[in-house]
Amino acid sequence: MHIHILGICGTFMGGVAALAREAGHRVTGCDAGVYPPMSDQLRALGIDLIEGFGADQLALKPDVFVVGNVVSRARLPDGQPKFPLMEAILDSGARYTSGPQWLAEHVLHGRHVLAVAGTHGKTTTTAMLAWILDQAGLKPGFLVGGVPLNFGVSARLGGGSAFVIEADEYDTAFFDKRSKFVHYRPRTAVLNNLEFDHADIFASLADIERQFHHLLRTVPAQGRVVSNGGDEALERVLAQGCWSELRRFGPVLADFIAEGEPGDFSVLAYGQAVGQVRWGLTGVHNQNNALAAIAAAEHLGVAPADAALALGGFLSPRRRMEVRGQVGGVTVYDDFAHHPTAIRTTLDGLRRQLDRQPGESRILAVFEPRSNTMKLGTMAAQLPAALKDADLAFCHVGGLGWDAAAALAPMGERGRTAEAIKPLVAQVLAAAKPGDHIVCMSNGSFGGVHELLLAGLAAKG
């Protein structure tokens, strides 16, 4: 089969492309801004990439066009279509489908799907679960919204019956407004947490809760739902109906709980101590991610003790508190956090770790409100609380339609803003001193801020 993927350089669609190629299909694709590292990864797999969405690509005549949710029926100011190829596909009557639908029909069907959903921690928990199953000899397939360092790739078919997938609640395509995860039909569903997000497509938290319940409706009676027992929104979702075996993790009285610090803790399953997790990860959020992965793996017969032992060798995916370098005693991290809760938990985890070390260490948070939700200013008022563990916070405010300086005003001199990357970097370099930890947080490339900071620190001497 020849498939041509529209929006192939996105993390999810790039994963679909890799899986299709591994399965023996001919894969081509297009995107706007075809650049490394995704372009290099795809070309290394023998996938031809085309820059842009020109209508001339219709001449490729693939068996099916696979459409990413970056594609729309939008028009440019001059009235021309933003995606001419999509218009040509519709006009010609050519066959097209969405990425999640193609994945469900050609990869997931007939396999034991383990889907990891939630506002936060999906990528990390998916990678943890895939690693546990791999170490148990189950040879799982997986599709992760990042690159797990344990595997070095974001997706693989796997040789076993299990397939672990990051289950996103964002909509499927312009012609299918259901959440992506509704297509996956999991036998094991992990519900990590649930908050309001994606203000560009959801009007309220209740709207997202409804989509999560649609996911629950697809889990069979012999399946398992693993849910965060401390999350009120998830409890409301479960109250709408749950027809599968239910296991809770997190707080006291849950089926799976943790005792100890996030970097070294005991795992209790059903009231009994069953294992110990010792690793290099920080934060209570990662402790909860571990419990979720252990509870999900148990559904496939992996003993919690073995799962806990496997996590001792787990490495975070790229861009999850990834150390990009250390110069002059200053450490620079790259993190994907962009929602206020993710920012707060990331900084809290680092603060806990630093407080256990001798000497005084400052945290300098450098972030950009880049997600659609943050660009709308929906959660601007939550930023000062999210940044409470930062000694200084630097916000890139270019292109925002709301006043970030006013939002950070409660932080006083600790909160600073800049309209462009270079002035932002200059502010950070002027403030940085040996022993500092600079955490750069964005769900985009952030203008190469990490390399600029490291180069500036080196020049500073």
Side-chain angles (χ1 to χ4, degrees), residues 424-438:
L424 183 77
V425 169
Q427 286 184 10
V428 179
L429 291 174
K433 60 184 183 181
D436 284 350
H437 295 256
I438 302 175

Side-chain angles (χ1 to χ4, degrees), residues 60-83:
L60 292 171
K61 296 183 178 179
D63 295 290
V64 63
F65 290 95
V66 181
V67 182
N69 67 1
V70 68
V71 177
S72 70
R73 302 295 302 278
R75 297 269 168 177
L76 299 172
D78 63 2
Q80 294 300 307
K82 185 176 181 180
F83 299 95

Side-chain angles (χ1 to χ4, degrees), residues 394-407:
F394 303 85
C395 179
H396 178 226
V397 300
L400 295 182
W402 49 276
D403 191 340

